[in-house]
Amino acid sequence: MSSVAPLQASEVGDWAFETDVLIVGFGAAGASASIEAAAGGADVHAVDAAGGWGGATAMAGGSIYLGGGTPIQRACGVEDTVEAMFAFLRAATGPDPDEAKLAVYCENSLEHFDWLVRCGVPFEPRLWTEPSWEAPSGYGLMFTGGENAYPFADIAAPAPRGHVPAMTNKKPGEQSAGWVLMKHLADTAADAGVHTHYNTRVGRLVVDGDRVVGAEMVTFGERSFVKARRGLVLSAGGFGANEAMLAQHSPRLLGNHLTGTDGDDGSAIRMGQAVGAAVRHMEAGQTAFPADPALLYRSLLLDRHGNRFINEDGYPGRVGQASLFRQDRQIFLLYDDTANEETQQASGYVVEPTWVSDDLAELETEMGLAPGALTATVGLYNAAAEKGEDPVCHKSARWLRPLKPPYGVLDLRNAMFSIFTTGGLHTSVHGEVLSLDGDPVPGLYAAGRTTSGIPAWGYCSGTSLGDSTFFGRRAGRAVASG
């Protein structure tokens, strides 16, 4: 990792140019910050290390977590309140969520929806209720956090809050609704007069005393300096592409597949730390479960001993976190022919089992389990499922059905999970980067996965893009005010 030690303004010979606001990173957070900074009357320049806009946002499924009774929710017949949204997020994003951020996010969710629509982001008023990572084209609302599953259904009235931008011809993992969101944000920023510079990396911040006043830029190996009269916004993603930082802060995320880009190298976080910024929850990360949700809901998820450890119908990202952080990726998935057939009909997902057998004792041997372990787990589950109950993990009645031979088992021990980091710089509700003492670092703001935001530890699909756009806007407004 190269040095991120800040430069003193007195060390800068010539400034390549000056601007009011410099945005570092032009994904959802950076674009949103630039739009609001420009609306605040600031001259805004944005830089990104990639050859164009988007970052991880452009690769994402595009869900934006919004609630409290949005027009899309109402059109789909969904009742929701700010209070229920807050109660759910407080439970689902813990432990130790930033309740001040949660409160302002929930209270202003309807206004934020209207802002996205004004930016041209389209939504279809149609509800998708099947288990999947992304809603298909034509659906604009879905459950994205296990709101209707244990334990959250008992904490707050369940409501779907994943708002998905409308898009035809989706290609999940390549180009999905996140691209639509980013396209409209980038167009809005361009119309607002924001100047963008691509293939340009920020290497170090420039300070004058304790105030951040500019940055060192590197474009195709050429170094230059830009002065930011009002301040900078760091919005350059997380650190999932930086193995040294993962090893230091969250080693269980190592050896997995990154959801994001090479630009998620943690440089923006390190630059903030170099000028005295505090960080939060650097150990936290999102981990997608390595099998189709349609199969997961219909199966039994087992630990290395053949025991269940979580309800399979919860948010697949939460199940993935439990599998990685609590079980160290030592897991199996047990299902039957009915689950296999229903999964193929629902999602087209074709299951290739590791082992198949009519005999649970034989599977115990194949899986390396203690004799009787699998038989006991399946017997207990089936007996309760016959009554529509699940006293062990509390799976919803909709997905309860006794499993019958022949059984299939997916050996997911050491499977590759899709991961990204959610820890980062400590910021205020206005996007100010905070020091170890809790005071704002003068001239420095941040948003998106460069920060620890709404997805503090727990995660729900849509909380990253919701957090990035919402708090990106607030950082843009704050930096423009000087």
Side-chain angles (χ1 to χ4, degrees):
M1 294 187 290
S2 59
S3 173
V4 291
L7 289 167
Q8 291 294 327
S10 59
E11 300 178 71
V12 176
D14 296 306
W15 299 101
F17 64 88
E18 295 187 17
T19 183
D20 291 326
V21 174
L22 179 66
I23 309 289
V24 181
F26 202 64
S32 300
S34 69
I35 292 168
E36 292 292 79
D43 179 38
V44 182
H45 285 251
V47 301
D48 198 285
W53 50 255
T57 300
M59 303 169 60
S63 291
I64 307 163
Y65 203 88
L66 301 165
T70 68
I72 297 300
Q73 287 180 312
R74 295 198 303 272
C76 292
V78 172
E79 295 184 4
D80 194 18
T81 65
V82 170
E83 293 75 18
M85 181 182 179
F86 177 83
F88 168 75
L89 285 175
R90 181 171 56 186
T93 62
D96 191 35
D98 188 326
E99 294 197 15
K101 286 183 179 177
L102 288 181
V104 72
Y105 182 74
C106 294
E107 290 164 3
N108 292 278
S109 181
L110 298 183
E111 185 277 334
H112 190 52
F113 174 87
D114 292 340
W115 180 84
L116 290 165
V117 171
R118 291 198 301 274
C119 288
V121 182
F123 297 96
E124 292 280 353
R126 194 176 177 195
L127 175 63
W128 176 254
T129 59
E130 295 300 313
S132 59
W133 286 114
E134 299 181 22
S137 296
Y139 293 84
L141 186 66
M142 63 183 296
F143 287 97
T144 58
E147 298 90 344
N148 55 345
Y150 178 86
F152 306 115
D154 297 330
I155 294 172
R161 301 188 183 97
H163 288 63
V164 187
M167 181 184 185
T168 58
N169 302 317
K170 291 183 179 180
K171 298 178 181 179
E174 297 180 27
Q175 186 168 290
S176 196
W179 184 90
V180 171
L181 169 65
M182 194 61 225
K183 175 69 166 60
H184 287 287
L185 293 178
D187 287 348
T188 302
D191 291 342
V194 175
H195 310 277
T196 51
H197 308 261
Y198 299 117
N199 298 301
T200 299
R201 180 179 297 278
V202 169
R204 292 182 288 178
L205 299 177
V206 178
V207 297
D208 186 357
D210 63 353
R211 182 177 181 83
V212 177
V213 296
E216 175 192 58
M217 301 191 304
V218 181
T219 306
F220 298 117
E222 295 294 324
R223 188 175 72 153
S224 61
F225 297 92
V226 55
K227 187 173 184 179
R229 292 181 290 264
R230 302 188 193 179
L232 289 82
V233 178
L234 298 175
S235 52
F239 60 96
N242 189 320
E243 290 194 358
M245 289 184 71
L246 288 179
Q248 180 180 15
H249 300 291
S250 191
R252 289 194 186 278
L253 295 180
L254 285 167
N256 290 287
H257 172 72
L258 172 65
T259 298
T261 73
D262 291 344
D264 291 301
D265 61 4
S267 59
I269 297 172
R270 295 177 63 235
M271 283 188 285
Q273 289 178 292
V275 295
V279 293
R280 294 185 82 237
H281 297 305
M282 293 291 283
E283 77 286 2
Q286 161 61 353
T287 58
F289 189 77
D292 192 279
L295 178 64
L296 172 64
Y297 279 41
R298 295 171 167 88
S299 305
L300 295 186
L301 180 60
L302 309 172
D303 66 13
R304 71 186 74 197
H305 305 296
N307 300 314
R308 296 171 70 208
F309 57 93
I310 194 171
N311 53 310
E312 296 86 357
D313 65 333
Y315 168 55
R318 181 170 181 266
V319 176
Q321 279 186 323
S323 300
L324 179 64
F325 287 100
R326 286 166 40 195
Q327 303 299 330
D328 199 23
R329 297 193 297 180
Q330 303 302 296
I331 56 173
F332 303 96
L333 199 63
L334 174 78
Y335 57 95
D336 63 6
D337 273 347
T338 299
N340 187 16
E341 292 168 3
E342 290 179 352
T343 297
Q344 291 187 37
Q345 293 172 2
S347 68
Y349 181 70
V350 178
V351 182
E352 296 292 340
T354 309
W355 303 290
V356 176
S357 179
D358 290 332
D359 186 358
L360 290 173
E362 181 180 354
L363 288 176
E364 288 167 352
T365 301
E366 296 282 6
M367 297 163 69
L369 303 179
L374 190 60
T375 302
T377 296
V378 174
L380 178 61
Y381 176 81
N382 281 352
E386 289 278 8
K387 305 174 186 177
E389 302 172 353
D390 179 16
V392 176
C393 292
H394 311 286
K395 183 187 288 189
S396 301
R398 175 184 175 185
W399 305 107
L400 290 176
R401 179 185 55 77
L403 299 182
K404 300 177 181 179
Y407 307 99
V409 175
L410 281 181
D411 184 356
L412 297 175
R413 290 174 296 182
N414 301 314
M416 294 282 282
F417 285 62
S418 293
I419 64 97
F420 60 88
T421 58
T422 54
L425 298 176
H426 187 192
T427 54
S428 73
V429 295
H430 301 293
E432 302 155 306
V433 173
L434 302 178
S435 70
L436 294 172
D437 293 327
D439 299 319
V441 177
L444 190 61
Y445 303 78
R449 293 290 57 77
T450 297
T451 74
S452 174
I454 294 299
W457 225 114
Y459 185 81
C460 314
S461 287
T463 54
S464 187
L465 293 183
D467 171 83
S468 295
T469 52
F470 182 84
F471 288 101
R473 293 179 61 199
R474 292 175 76 86
R477 291 199 297 268
V479 70
S481 71

